Amino acid sequence: AELPPWAPGPAQAAALLEEAADLLVLHRDFAAAVERCEAGCDSLGTGTGPSPGHGHESFAEVKCSLCVVGIQALAEMNRWREVLSWVLQYYHVPEHLPPKVLELCILLYSKVREPQVMLEVGSSWLGAQANQRLPEFDSLLELYLAQVLLPLGRFEGAEELVRGCAAFDSERQLQFLGTIGESRCRWARREEETRSAAEEQQDPATETLLGMLSQKLLTMLTLLRRTLRSMSNHFYLLPYKKMLLATFLLYLVVVRLDPASPTSLPFIYKLVQLFRQAWAAVLSPVHRPPIRD
């Protein structure tokens, strides 16, 4: 239905809050709930005074509640990416976010595994001196560490944040620093386990290639052993020509695993030339100097 022309003011904002909550919970009309929340925040403007006719309820409380309902409605529509910018259009800077709104944003972006969205916002809020005096500060700092900094591995930033917090005494600082240290150790163990698993995991193609090379090497060693055994048993029976030929073949097998490969052709050609030269030397007569009386 078309929104009626509500008059601006805190009373109207409280009525819009009630209507938005009904739309969210009872009717599950999330888009309409967001519209009511936006109208309520716009009607409040930047005021901070008490709301007439609503007891001790303040502008800030009504505005915070409107944003909480709006955040939930946006999340229900899977529009969580818009949440932070939507909230900041009413609070302008992160330091002015109410603790409840900041908590809800941290939990939301942590749940969707996008904690880095809250890095700067959370750091700005926690670094503000006025916020450090709030009773919710300790729980929000702990939440920010557990859901944002530590899951992202920002251990140095976490330690700096804790040490620079004037609201903590030495005992409280040591407690937080101990939590950070434990998280750092767990992070290091996970990285080591991941690295070990990656080293153990081999590509199927690499395994196949290694298997082929291993089989070829085994065949080569078997042939080498048989050749050496044969040479040791019958060396004295071999003429020099056969011994040289056997040496050439053995050298070829040992040096080149795959003589048929195109890359081995130049090498084999040179080896053949050396063999021919050696063979020519064997066939040529041996000239000895004449023996003098």
Side-chain angles (χ1 to χ4, degrees):
E2 185 177 352
L3 293 177
W6 292 304
Q12 201 68 56
L16 287 170
L17 170 61
E18 186 176 353
E19 186 176 351
D22 288 342
L23 289 168
L24 173 68
V25 178
L26 300 179
H27 305 287
R28 299 189 65 78
D29 189 347
F30 308 123
V34 172
E35 291 178 356
R36 300 304 192 274
C37 292
E38 291 174 344
C41 289
D42 291 338
S43 69
L44 287 174
T46 58
T48 57
S51 298
H54 289 81
H56 298 288
E57 224 173 11
S58 68
F59 270 65
E61 291 169 347
V62 175
K63 190 175 183 178
C64 175
S65 299
L66 285 166
C67 287
V68 168
V69 173
I71 290 171
Q72 184 62 39
L74 288 170
E76 292 287 353
M77 292 187 292
N78 201 28
R79 291 167 55 186
W80 51 269
R81 292 178 180 85
E82 306 173 29
V83 164
L84 187 58
S85 59
W86 184 84
V87 168
L88 287 177
Q89 70 179 326
Y90 300 115
Y91 288 98
H92 308 295
V93 292
E95 294 85 345
H96 294 169
L97 290 175
K100 186 63 179 178
V101 171
L102 179 65
E103 177 186 7
L104 195 56
C105 288
I106 291 175
L107 292 174
L108 172 63
Y109 284 101
S110 174
K111 183 177 181 180
V112 298
R113 299 183 179 181
E114 296 285 347
Q116 69 276 4
V117 175
M118 297 302 298
L119 265 174
E120 294 185 8
V121 174
S123 177
S124 298
W125 193 95
L126 293 167
Q129 293 293 328
N131 292 331
Q132 293 184 11
R133 294 191 290 269
L134 296 175
E136 299 91 347
F137 181 81
D138 281 20
S139 60
L140 281 176
L141 175 57
E142 189 172 0
L143 182 68
Y144 181 67
L145 290 173
Q147 301 296 333
V148 179
L149 291 184
L150 300 186
L152 293 174
R154 304 294 184 96
F155 304 111
E156 291 79 7
E159 291 173 348
E160 290 178 4
L161 182 63
V162 171
R163 291 194 177 101
C165 181
F168 291 158
D169 55 19
S170 57
E171 182 178 355
R172 190 66 170 150
Q173 282 188 355
L174 288 175
Q175 182 180 355
F176 276 114
L177 292 174
T179 301
I180 296 169
E182 293 174 2
S183 181
R184 189 196 295 268
C185 293
R186 289 194 297 269
W187 180 282
R189 283 198 300 269
R190 284 196 300 268
E191 284 193 335
E192 181 64 28
E193 291 171 359
T194 302
R195 184 165 49 251
S196 300
E199 291 174 355
E200 293 175 359
Q201 196 174 28
Q202 292 183 346
D203 186 82
T206 304
E207 293 180 357
T208 302
L209 178 60
L210 290 176
M212 293 173 61
L213 292 176
S214 299
Q215 185 63 34
K216 185 173 289 189
L217 181 60
L218 180 61
T219 303
M220 185 196 72
L221 291 176
T222 302
L223 177 60
L224 177 62
R225 185 174 58 182
R226 291 177 181 175
T227 303
L228 292 176
R229 183 183 302 164
S230 176
M231 290 178 64
S232 63
N233 292 337
H234 305 287
F235 180 80
Y236 66 94
L237 298 176
L238 287 174
Y240 191 72
K241 173 182 175 181
K242 292 184 178 180
M243 184 189 71
L244 188 58
L245 178 60
T247 303
F248 165 72
L249 294 175
L250 180 61
Y251 186 72
L252 183 63
V253 171
V254 171
V255 174
R256 303 299 293 177
L257 290 178
D258 190 2
S261 173
T263 58
S264 66
L265 292 178
F267 177 82
I268 294 177
Y269 176 76
K270 292 180 181 179
L271 202 57
V272 170
Q273 295 298 321
L274 291 175
F275 174 75
R276 287 177 178 175
Q277 294 174 9
W279 180 238
V282 171
L283 294 181
S284 63
V286 180
H287 300 282
R288 296 186 178 89
I291 302 175
R292 300 180 183 273
D293 293 336

